[in-house]
Amino acid sequence: MNTVGEMLESISGVGLDSHRGGYSRPVFSSAELELRDWFTAEASRRGLEVSTDRNGIMWGWWDAASGDRAGALVTGSHLDSVPGGGAFDGPLGVAAALAAVDVLKERGVEPRRSLAVTVFPEEEGSRFGVACLGSRLLTGAINADKVRNLKDPVGNTFADVSRKHGLDPARLGRDEEALRTIGDFVELHVEQGRALIDLDAPVGVGSSILGHGRWRLSVEGQGNHAGTTLMADRADPMVVAAQIILAIRRIAAAQDDARATVGRLQPVPGGTNVIASRVDLWLDVRHPDDAVTAALVESIHGQAQKAAAFEGCAVTLTEESFSSTVHFDAPLQRQLQNSLRRSNAGNQVPALPTGAGHDAGVLAGYVPSAMVYIRNPTGISHSPEEYVERDDADLAATALADVLEDLL
Ligand code: HGY
Ligand code: MN
Ligand code: MN
Ligand code: MN
């Protein structure tokens, strides 16, 4: 069977973004659909029974002899990406899970409980704006009505797009039956920082995920002609947006352990010779303490209102999603650390806090959940520079197989 490196190689041409570099694989795009077909083919050739549930989550089942799926061991990750994302964020965890099935079969392991390899949709929230949408729907962590009405950048609702791809929007939402099948959830993921490189370790486990949220700031001004409108006669929302971004940096830099980012800004109408009538910018704020996050957002909102008033504009702030800080299941985390010692030359395996959100973080509020991280030599992620050495990618399979074998 093909190795993790070979599987990632086989999808390395899917969703390449020639404009941004890296990969752009938004949920239900032709690229992500192609990767879903890839997953179905790779899972089926391993004898897994593949299905897609009412929330668009894909499951590849290796049933125990009993055929019972309640309390199964579930692993997996996602195949969608951020715009211009790396090759490993998501697909590494899916490919490693498939290759771990090969290792378990080569070892002659007969699962005492069923095992499932899963693919969660819209983990990045790149198309509909809410990260970990699949796991939030599965658990009921998000209101299904809100999801049905989420819009993508060109105005398609999640209801319309999901219907087009075989889902019934009326059935979106908490799935008790599917939740009952998850006894333990383990997600393998490329590390999105430098810790393992600095620790000279190929694998680590997750300890916690920073609380994080997304807010949309909309600044309304007066659209007008760039050539006929004197500077003193303008209400230019782009000028307000620039001041907001500088204020965000100042406010977050003054708060230990805070991270605040504006990675997406959309002037309307967006013409070179047009003073924008509106500017939308999206704020991503993260901090271990939810109260501090709230205070940061409030302070940013206050500065935004001041800047808007000075420029004769108006600003509105809308919360789009929020997740509190989660700590992974301690006994499960410790068990993973023991299992992973075999892949770490017998050495103790580090437990790492992360600022990156994951479906495992959403699931941690409902089922025992844990993460395995694989070394990333660049320490960069959400960028084409994200990297995993071929040996570490292949090690991921045996590392995950060790974890799964001890849990099966
Ligand atoms: O934004 C995140 O932290 C995750 O990659 N969705
Ligand atoms: Mn990810
Ligand atoms: Mn990501
Ligand atoms: Mn003109």
Side-chain angles (χ1 to χ4, degrees):
M1 282 293 190
N2 44 8
T3 65
V4 173
E6 288 162 351
M7 278 191 263
L8 292 177
E9 186 63 36
S10 74
I11 58 172
S12 59
V14 179
L16 278 167
D17 188 321
S18 52
H19 171 58
R20 298 181 179 100
Y23 293 93
S24 291
R25 300 161 165 169
V27 70
F28 295 130
S29 63
S30 55
E32 199 243 6
L33 293 170
E34 195 177 332
L35 292 182
R36 284 169 173 263
D37 291 344
W38 163 81
F39 173 75
T40 302
E42 291 291 348
S44 306
R45 66 192 281 219
R46 289 166 170 82
L48 304 183
E49 186 197 311
V50 182
S51 57
T52 301
D53 72 13
R54 67 166 79 148
N55 291 309
I57 302 165
M58 300 182 81
W59 301 73
W61 282 100
W62 178 7
D63 286 328
S66 65
D68 185 6
R69 290 180 175 175
L73 175 55
V74 180
T75 184
S77 193
H78 61 96
L79 295 171
D80 65 300
S81 77
V82 293
F88 303 91
D89 178 352
L92 178 69
V94 175
L98 292 166
V101 167
D102 299 335
V103 175
L104 293 171
K105 291 192 173 205
E106 279 155 26
R107 291 178 183 173
V109 171
E110 283 300 326
R112 282 187 307 245
R113 58 171 167 160
S114 296
L115 172 69
V117 177
T118 50
V119 174
F120 283 88
E122 188 66 332
E123 188 277 343
E124 297 294 2
S126 300
R127 181 167 179 181
F128 291 96
V130 175
C132 301
L133 194 58
S135 49
R136 288 177 199 256
L137 280 168
L138 166 65
T139 56
I142 191 168
N143 174 290
D145 263 341
K146 174 179 173 181
V147 174
R148 277 186 273 273
N149 297 311
L150 288 176
K151 286 204 168 73
D152 71 5
V154 291
N156 302 305
T157 64
F158 189 84
D160 289 343
V161 174
S162 59
R163 182 184 297 111
K164 194 171 151 222
H165 296 290
L167 300 185
D168 171 359
R171 299 192 65 231
L172 292 170
R174 184 175 166 89
D175 187 340
E176 294 292 351
E177 193 193 333
L179 264 178
R180 255 197 310 281
T181 67
I182 310 179
D184 293 292
F185 182 76
V186 178
E187 179 170 2
L188 183 139
H189 204 281
V190 57
E191 190 206 339
Q192 296 174 294
R194 293 197 46 82
L196 291 177
I197 280 292
D198 295 343
L199 291 166
D200 190 23
V203 292
V205 295
S207 55
S208 64
I209 290 185
L210 217 48
H212 57 283
R214 294 185 184 191
W215 289 262
R216 190 180 75 250
L217 283 152
S218 286
V219 189
E220 298 282 344
Q222 176 55 60
N224 213 328
H225 194 299
T228 57
T229 315
L230 297 179
M231 295 311 281
D233 298 337
R234 295 180 178 211
D236 184 348
M238 281 293 252
V239 173
V240 176
Q243 293 174 54
I244 292 173
I245 292 168
L246 290 172
I248 287 167
R249 180 176 172 76
R250 192 175 61 249
I251 292 165
Q255 172 64 53
D256 278 351
D257 220 3
R259 302 118 205 250
T261 312
V262 173
R264 184 179 164 210
L265 176 140
Q266 230 153 1
V268 174
T272 303
N273 57 351
V274 178
I275 301 168
S277 55
R278 190 181 90 236
V279 176
D280 289 324
L281 52 159
W282 281 264
L283 172 61
D284 177 312
V285 181
R286 309 191 189 203
H287 189 274
D289 179 340
D290 294 351
V292 170
T293 303
L296 287 168
V297 173
E298 197 182 325
S299 166
I300 290 166
H301 190 197
Q303 290 298 312
Q305 285 171 318
K306 254 195 219 142
F310 185 77
E311 297 292 337
C313 294
V315 64
T316 53
L317 174 85
T318 312
E319 178 178 295
E320 294 203 332
S321 68
F322 185 74
S323 309
S324 293
T325 294
V326 286
H327 296 274
F328 288 114
D329 184 86
L332 185 57
Q333 177 192 317
R334 277 194 298 277
Q335 175 154 355
L336 264 60
Q337 284 177 291
N338 285 332
S339 303
L340 290 168
R341 292 181 80 132
R342 308 200 285 272
S343 300
N344 193 28
N347 303 315
Q348 179 58 10
V349 170
L352 309 173
T354 182
H358 300 282
D359 291 302
V362 173
L363 293 173
Y366 300 86
V367 294
S369 173
M371 289 195 75
V372 177
Y373 296 129
I374 297 294
R375 174 166 52 190
N376 168 353
T378 67
I380 293 172
S381 185
H382 283 188
S383 154
E385 294 165 75
E386 176 184 274
Y387 191 61
V388 174
E389 303 285 356
R390 177 60 77 100
D391 289 352
D392 284 349
D394 291 337
L395 176 84
T398 45
L400 187 56
D402 291 344
V403 162
L404 298 177
E405 184 172 2
D406 292 352
L407 284 165
L408 273 176

